[in-house]
Amino acid sequence: MKLAYWMYAGPAHIGTLRVASSFKNVHAIMHAPLGDDYFNVMRSMLERERDFTPVTASIVDRHVLARGSQEKVVENITQKDQQQKPDLIVLTPTCTSSILQEDLQNFVNRASLESNSDVILADVNHYRVNELQAADRTLEQIIRFSVEKARKNNVLNTEKTIKPSANILGIFTLGFHNQHDCRELKRLLNDLGISINEIVPEGGSIKNLKNLTKAWFNLVPYREVGLMAANYLQNEYSMPYVGITPMGIVDTANCIREISTIIKNQNPDIEFNTEKYIDQQTRFVSQAAWFSRSIDCQNLTGKKAVVFGDATHAASMTRILAREMGINVSCAGTYCKHDADWFREQVQGFCDQVLITDDHTQVADMISRIEPSAIFGTQMERHIGKRLDIPCGVISAPVHIQNFPLGYRPFLGYEGTNQIADLVYNSFTLGMEDHLLEIFGGHDTKEAITKSLSTESGCSWSPDGLAELKKIPGFVRGKVKRNTEKFARERNITEITVEIMYAAKEVIGA
Amino acid sequence: MTNNLSTDNLTFECETGNYHTFCPISCVAWLYQKIEDSFFLVIGTKTCGYFLQNALGVMIFAEPRYAMAELEEGDISAQLNDYKELKRLCLEIKQDRNPSVIVWIGTCTTEIIKMDLEGMAPRLETEIGIPIVVARANGLDYAFTQGEDTVLAAMVHRCPTETLTENTKKHPSLVLFGSLPNTVANQLNMELKRHNIEVSGWLPSHRYLDLPHLGENVYVCGINPFLSRTATTLMRRKKCKLICAPFPIGPDGTRAWIEKISSVFGIIPQGLEEREQAIWESLEDYLQLVRGKSVFFMGDNLLEISLARFLISCGMIVYEIGIPYMDKRFQAAELALLETTCKKMNVPLPRIVEKPDNYHQIQRIRELQPDLAITGMAHANPLEARGINTKWSVEFTFAQIHGFTNARDILELITRPLRRNQALGTLGWSQLIKTDN
Ligand code: SF4
């Protein structure tokens, strides 16, 4: 057992539901108690979805506990089959079904005999995988199932399209800015003369999965979801994939180069002016390259930042801040513990330290210790920032409704670089403005010490010491306070006076 | 609208129970705020935690006095000792927060693996010196607000026994049960006081240490329709006398509630009718908006009967009252008032659908095209996109809706979609889906 107040990644079934309900005409039936269909609320509220979420529950209640859920599950599946005629029904286990240990696969087999829809059981275990891992698996499972079925029926389309084409894998519901990213990726591929074959799962149709293999390659924009499917297609159908997230100027260029290599491998005759395109976009379409040369960005040089989020966004953001803006990333971290090695490798050389944890109190402690000028993280870090008076730009799920903007806000591609530049700049300037106001007495007098997540120091401040401390500008005050206290503690000084402060400054530069 | 009443008696139907509602553990959200010295420990899985985290929204960031004891694989396979694990966590809570009571919320998982919470609590309680109350508020057995019912029922056992002493009071002790924000509880206290009725205590009180005294000579009365287990426990375990009244929701309900309590104490209320009348008059601007409009309750929080009864009093027509669970005994007075209200307003009796099926309800909504559907958030946006006005039902559980004073708030909620859509009405884009599916 562990005491938990907050989690970054949800339970496994959420991942499965996100993938299943992103497809067109796929219905998910959860094997769950009453009340576990909260996913529908989230989708309807956060995505402001106009359609009914295609998720229902086969409810586990007392009767089911006594008699087993076979009849009920089978009945619910066949009923849904008749009511809505989906192409595929995905039976989704939950934590409850994990411990009931019923043979759900057997129910699925029985139900599929009686239904016109295909029926599968999502292969996810609540106690082994989280939301993101489950989403990755479910996507692979659905693709594998459909592709294999098509192959058996001899309708699999393995002949490549005449012009270069791509599948985009891993765009799905409740994903962080996924819809906008998808539009941006389409534009990017279109600019390169590559047509889009299929986008999966968002808006994709199960019936069209037989065409997946027509594409020249797969593009997997996010590390978390889509890689398993891409690997499957690579192993079984020799489809190459590009796994570089096109986030930031440098990585967008890397992604494009990789795409062009893959295409040239398949057809060396194709005229592909990659470098010219990259150069044009970098210097003139994206404003980010110019921004990093402008004097605004100069002011950000060496400023401290902390980055935390899912593996994709945290890694990309770390590299953008360090490599493209000259910002000092003091700590980069992710809650994707299952992908820790990849993350470390990605951010190596771009940050001072790495934090892998899914415990938000550890993140809070790290932030209050480092006292960065800005944080780039999830909704949780935004709240930590609020408590510590540090501005935060939100770069990764989990997020609230305000991170499902109506306006166009991609994080990927060249337009994405503009969005990110704005986000970074606004986070830092807001912070700077705040401090300037404080220096010039614009704010109401706040208590001297507002940053108090760290433990009590054990020394007291004399009135004159405290008065002096108040004169120090807010953005360094916490640090001065801490360093002075440390200095005093080491020398067994219990009361900090102005003299002690100056002494500390001389010795340790507090 | 019509003189031919469909039936003379209410009819009850029961569907499949495939409907959307909140898990009962959500009661933690309002109970930890109500009982200021409590700490709620939900013993469950990531599923439970995820639900709470998202349903509670920003409250999560305000260091709430609740936490998950998240069960891991080792707990399920019984490799770990439940007692030791719970003890470790409860000691941690004691050290960090020092509450006056820890409430353990049992979940589906603790039910299925048959974790003996009731057995462990008394032992641990003496060991760590903090009362531990166990409530099994899980999704296997209950819906949404029934969670509060299980917690209050468990708290009944902790209420001190009334000492039979001073009989200086004008009437026997009266204890009200149901969790309300303190201001609303005070309003109801004062409403009764106008008729010389003293409320001697509330369950829950705003501090655990102030739980009311209960006993044979204590009369109890509920203020919410979902408290049937608590009522039963009060009667069976503490021998209290239950006053079965309609619930003080809407001016009609509040009046009937006061009248019933008064009659039990042999008091004839003075000026009550005028007071009700005055409230109705003050509501006239809202009533003009709702008169003759139709409502469909999909059902998810058990307030439905009382709200429907009030809306019928307001001149609305109710097509269907979906409700998760219907305790006809506990709600007897409310059901009777619903019937007389329908007759008085000369509208057909609505159909009451227990354990509704949302899929079928949506078909019925399509046919009936009600002016307003009261529904959960899962269906609200999709219905709006199809041109049906909706009001999100959960708001009724968080808004202040009890007593004379708050009748206006109910209508504020009810009319909000009507007013909003009136404002947008001339724009001509109420259907916002591409094809009719
Ligand atoms: S329904 Fe059961 S498993 Fe789901 S959140 Fe509620 S208690 Fe937890």
Side-chain angles (χ1 to χ4, degrees):
Chain A
M1 261 179 234
K2 71 175 190 216
L3 213 51
Y5 296 89
W6 209 76
M7 68 185 87
Y8 284 101
H13 69 265
I14 298 286
T16 296
L17 297 181
R18 283 176 61 191
V19 166
S21 64
S22 294
F23 279 108
K24 255 193 281 180
N25 214 22
V26 170
H27 200 98
I29 297 184
M30 304 168 66
H31 184 238
L34 188 69
D36 276 358
D37 61 352
Y38 190 73
F39 172 76
N40 298 28
V41 174
M42 293 187 59
R43 184 162 133 109
S44 173
M45 288 307 289
L46 298 177
E47 292 267 31
R48 301 183 190 86
E49 187 49 63
R50 300 175 199 213
D51 280 319
F52 293 99
T53 301
V55 172
T56 42
S58 172
I59 292 178
V60 180
D61 58 15
R62 280 287 153 193
H63 298 285
V64 165
L65 288 194
R67 288 200 310 251
S69 38
Q70 163 128 342
E71 294 312 319
K72 203 164 177 181
V73 170
V74 174
E75 207 178 281
N76 277 311
I77 295 177
T78 48
Q79 228 169 52
K80 202 36 81 180
D81 173 55
Q82 286 158 19
Q83 285 170 349
Q84 290 182 309
K85 308 191 172 31
D87 298 327
L88 175 70
I89 293 176
V90 181
L91 182 62
T92 309
T94 59
C95 59
T96 307
S97 36
S98 282
I99 45 174
L100 282 178
Q101 293 189 326
E102 287 181 294
D103 189 356
L104 293 180
Q105 185 59 54
N106 174 28
F107 305 168
V108 162
N109 296 346
R110 261 197 50 193
S112 47
L113 292 179
E114 294 168 36
S115 332
N116 293 318
S117 326
D118 287 325
V119 189
I120 61 171
L121 170 67
D123 171 30
V124 293
N125 179 324
H126 174 91
Y127 292 97
R128 304 278 162 85
V129 294
N130 70 18
E131 171 183 359
L132 298 170
Q133 294 163 292
D136 200 15
R137 255 166 212 263
T138 304
L139 182 59
E140 191 247 20
Q141 202 188 345
I142 292 178
I143 288 179
R144 181 190 288 265
F145 175 84
S146 309
V147 167
E148 266 163 30
K149 185 179 164 199
R151 199 187 47 183
K152 261 187 235 136
N153 297 342
N154 279 325
V155 289
L156 190 67
N157 254 316
T158 43
E159 202 173 313
K160 298 288 167 199
T161 54
I162 300 166
K163 271 179 60 181
S165 63
N167 300 319
I168 304 179
L169 302 182
I171 303 283
F172 68 142
T173 191
L174 292 173
F176 183 73
H177 294 243
N178 274 17
Q179 311 286 352
H180 311 276
D181 284 348
C182 184
R183 215 169 115 190
E184 188 62 21
L185 290 177
K186 280 199 240 173
R187 193 170 80 174
L188 184 81
L189 291 173
N190 189 36
D191 281 356
L192 296 170
I194 297 168
S195 59
I196 307 281
N197 187 50
E198 295 288 333
I199 296 173
V200 179
E202 186 63 50
S205 154
I206 295 293
K207 292 196 180 116
N208 289 352
L209 294 181
K210 65 175 189 300
N211 297 330
L212 274 179
T213 38
K214 277 164 61 186
W216 290 31
F217 71 101
N218 291 314
L219 175 61
V220 185
Y222 312 111
R223 176 84 191 156
E224 285 75 20
V225 178
L227 271 187
M228 277 182 77
N231 275 315
Y232 160 73
L233 291 168
Q234 185 176 48
N235 295 339
E236 298 290 321
Y237 298 97
S238 314
M239 289 182 77
Y241 72 83
V242 176
I244 299 174
T245 303
M247 185 166 151
I249 299 172
V250 178
D251 280 339
T252 302
N254 287 339
C255 178
I256 293 171
R257 289 193 186 102
E258 176 101 354
I259 290 173
S260 88
T261 314
I262 280 181
I263 288 178
K264 289 217 173 101
N265 277 345
Q266 296 182 47
N267 185 348
D269 299 336
I270 286 188
E271 211 29 61
F272 224 63
N273 212 337
T274 320
E275 290 309 322
K276 188 160 164 244
Y277 176 73
I278 292 174
D279 181 62
Q280 276 287 323
Q281 295 285 318
T282 304
R283 290 195 298 142
F284 304 110
V285 173
S286 162
Q287 300 293 318
W290 158 236
F291 168 74
S292 46
R293 284 303 292 265
S294 73
I295 47 172
D296 280 344
C297 198
Q298 216 176 74
N299 284 340
L300 303 183
T301 307
K303 284 252 170 316
K304 274 200 293 189
V306 161
V307 180
F308 196 84
D310 64 20
T312 303
H313 290 89
S316 296
M317 200 64 200
T318 302
R319 287 139 60 111
I320 293 170
L321 291 172
R323 182 163 64 183
E324 297 175 20
M325 296 180 176
I327 289 161
N328 171 18
V329 179
S330 306
C331 181
T334 182
Y335 56 84
C336 294
K337 283 158 79 177
H338 60 277
D339 213 8
D341 292 339
W342 178 85
F343 184 79
R344 279 201 194 85
E345 189 191 302
Q346 291 293 305
V347 298
Q348 196 184 23
F350 296 106
C351 61
D352 303 340
Q353 50 171 306
V354 175
L355 178 67
I356 311 283
T357 180
D358 55 5
D359 176 353
H360 69 94
T361 55
Q362 275 192 38
V363 180
D365 287 347
M366 175 267 291
I367 291 174
S368 67
R369 199 175 57 241
I370 291 177
E371 294 186 55
S373 314
I375 310 167
F376 298 93
T378 72
Q379 225 14 265
M380 185 37 116
E381 283 68 47
R382 201 170 73 83
H383 283 269
I384 296 170
K386 261 193 197 159
R387 263 192 296 168
L388 296 169
D389 260 337
I390 301 173
C392 176
V394 175
I395 55 141
S396 157
V399 289
H400 284 339
I401 192 151
Q402 64 265 43
N403 296 106
F404 289 88
L406 300 173
Y408 188 48
R409 301 241 194 300
F411 271 65
L412 303 187
Y414 286 109
E415 178 53 29
T417 61
N418 293 337
Q419 298 291 337
I420 293 169
D422 275 342
L423 181 76
V424 172
Y425 184 63
N426 289 338
S427 304
F428 277 107
T429 40
L430 283 183
M432 286 296 288
E433 264 169 33
D434 216 41
H435 298 323
L436 286 173
L437 272 174
E438 227 170 279
I439 295 173
F440 296 115
H443 278 307
D444 294 345
T445 41
K446 274 191 222 154
E447 265 308 293
I449 292 94
T450 47
K451 304 181 178 184
S452 55
L453 276 193
S454 67
T455 45
E456 270 306 307
S457 61
C459 352
S460 67
W461 286 72
S462 74
D464 62 332
L466 210 52
E468 186 67 19
L469 185 64
K470 279 188 189 171
K471 285 187 208 153
I472 293 169
F475 59 101
V476 282
R477 192 184 292 148
K479 193 171 126 206
V480 171
K481 174 175 182 268
R482 232 176 300 289
N483 285 349
T484 311
E485 283 170 354
K486 188 166 156 234
F487 172 84
R489 245 189 339 265
E490 279 164 4
R491 287 161 185 77
N492 286 326
I493 297 165
T494 51
E495 195 187 49
I496 301 173
T497 59
V498 186
E499 286 77 22
I500 304 291
M501 279 180 78
Y502 292 159
K505 184 171 167 66
E506 280 158 27
V507 175
I508 50 175
Chain B
M1 99 174 175
T2 163
N3 285 326
N4 105 47
L5 301 182
S6 49
T7 34
D8 287 334
N9 293 308
L10 287 167
T11 50
F12 299 89
E13 290 165 49
C14 190
E15 282 189 314
T16 59
N18 269 325
Y19 64 102
H20 162 77
T21 183
F22 275 13
C23 169
I25 58 174
S26 51
C27 66
V28 164
W30 62 90
L31 287 176
Y32 91 76
Q33 296 194 39
K34 172 72 191 179
I35 310 170
E36 288 161 13
D37 51 355
S38 62
F39 191 98
F40 284 78
L41 184 66
V42 182
I43 305 163
T45 61
K46 254 189 183 342
T47 306
C48 316
Y50 192 70
F51 163 67
L52 279 177
Q53 168 172 325
N54 287 294
L56 267 59
V58 280
M59 278 191 244
I60 286 286
F61 299 105
E63 298 231 358
R65 289 186 318 281
Y66 98 81
M68 289 293 309
E70 193 184 311
L71 301 167
E72 294 166 295
E73 207 163 9
D75 300 303
I76 306 301
S77 57
Q79 281 161 356
L80 296 168
N81 180 318
D82 299 334
Y83 184 79
K84 276 197 201 139
E85 291 292 300
L86 282 168
K87 182 175 170 186
R88 180 170 59 79
L89 301 190
C90 287
L91 282 172
E92 204 176 317
I93 292 166
K94 181 181 180 182
Q95 200 195 347
D96 291 352
R97 308 291 182 93
N98 198 27
S100 312
V101 61
I102 298 179
V103 183
W104 284 354
I105 303 285
T107 62
C108 299
T109 307
T110 57
E111 286 297 310
I112 297 171
I113 62 173
K114 300 203 165 53
M115 194 183 275
D116 182 19
L117 298 176
E118 272 96 350
M120 287 188 278
R123 257 175 77 203
L124 192 55
E125 179 168 321
T126 41
E127 247 190 285
I128 68 171
I130 295 182
I132 296 174
V133 172
V134 181
R136 305 173 170 203
N138 60 69
L140 294 171
D141 299 304
Y142 305 108
F144 195 13
T145 47
Q146 288 180 292
E148 174 179 324
D149 194 23
T150 62
V151 173
L152 297 190
M155 286 218 173
V156 169
H157 301 274
R158 304 305 179 111
C159 293
T161 306
E162 141 135 308
T163 40
L164 283 178
T165 48
E166 6 90 74
N167 219 342
T168 52
K169 287 186 242 155
K170 292 165 240 129
H171 59 79
S173 292
L174 172 67
V175 168
L176 300 180
F177 57 98
S179 166
L180 286 182
N182 292 341
T183 46
V184 183
N186 285 338
Q187 285 163 2
L188 289 182
N189 284 345
M190 273 153 55
E191 221 54 77
L192 289 170
K193 210 165 177 183
R194 286 168 173 244
H195 308 287
N196 292 318
I197 299 168
E198 276 305 322
V199 176
S200 56
W202 280 80
L203 174 71
S205 43
H206 68 273
R207 289 171 52 79
Y208 175 77
L209 296 174
D210 299 335
L211 281 178
H213 289 255
L214 297 174
E216 256 179 281
N217 298 307
V218 175
Y219 283 79
V220 290
C221 187
I223 51 93
N224 266 325
F226 45 77
L227 298 169
S228 55
R229 280 171 66 92
T230 311
T232 316
T233 316
L234 284 164
M235 289 190 293
R236 298 228 179 108
R237 292 311 177 86
K238 294 283 179 175
K239 305 277 175 279
C240 300
K241 300 189 178 69
L242 178 70
I243 302 176
C244 181
F247 301 99
I249 291 170
D252 50 340
T254 309
R255 174 179 165 190
W257 182 71
I258 296 174
E259 274 173 348
K260 185 64 193 275
I261 296 174
S262 309
S263 78
V264 169
F265 294 148
I267 292 170
I268 296 163
Q270 300 295 317
L272 191 55
E273 202 179 327
E274 292 77 7
R275 179 144 169 81
E276 187 198 351
Q277 203 46 45
I279 298 288
W280 281 117
E281 275 157 29
S282 73
L283 299 176
E284 186 54 32
D285 51 340
Y286 279 144
L287 294 178
Q288 280 177 8
L289 288 172
V290 300
R291 268 190 206 115
K293 299 246 159 62
S294 53
V295 192
F296 190 110
F297 283 87
M298 286 186 75
D300 66 355
N301 59 20
L302 284 95
L303 294 171
E304 292 87 1
I305 302 283
S306 311
L307 285 172
R309 180 259 305 147
F310 166 59
L311 294 183
I312 292 169
S313 284
C314 291
M316 299 184 90
I317 299 140
V318 176
Y319 289 147
E320 172 163 334
I321 308 178
I323 186 168
Y325 168 75
M326 182 72 242
D327 183 333
K328 287 183 202 150
R329 277 176 60 196
F330 183 60
Q331 295 224 43
E334 184 62 81
L335 286 167
L337 184 59
L338 173 68
E339 254 186 84
T340 47
T341 305
C342 287
K343 287 185 182 141
K344 194 177 103 197
M345 301 305 290
N346 205 16
V347 293
L349 292 165
R351 63 194 267 176
I352 297 177
V353 181
E354 230 186 313
K355 292 179 177 290
D357 182 302
N358 281 168
Y359 181 82
H360 294 135
Q361 284 185 312
I362 299 228
Q363 314 295 324
R364 295 200 284 271
I365 288 179
R366 262 188 204 162
E367 255 162 55
L368 295 164
Q369 292 285 318
D371 294 306
L372 183 66
I374 298 181
T375 176
M377 267 208 289
H379 296 115
N381 270 339
L383 284 172
E384 289 281 352
R386 284 157 183 78
I388 303 277
N389 296 323
T390 60
K391 181 74 230 136
W392 179 40
S393 56
V394 174
E395 280 191 75
F396 293 106
T397 50
F398 292 111
Q400 311 198 337
I401 61 169
H402 292 79
F404 286 125
T405 328
N406 299 310
R408 208 178 166 77
D409 291 47
I410 309 178
L411 284 178
E412 163 71 28
L413 289 177
I414 291 287
T415 57
R416 195 176 293 159
L418 302 175
R419 284 178 286 131
R420 197 265 314 263
N421 293 349
Q422 212 168 44
L424 310 181
T426 53
L427 297 174
W429 53 63
S430 59
Q431 286 276 342
L432 290 157
I433 44 166
K434 284 198 184 127
T435 50
D436 190 66
N437 60 354

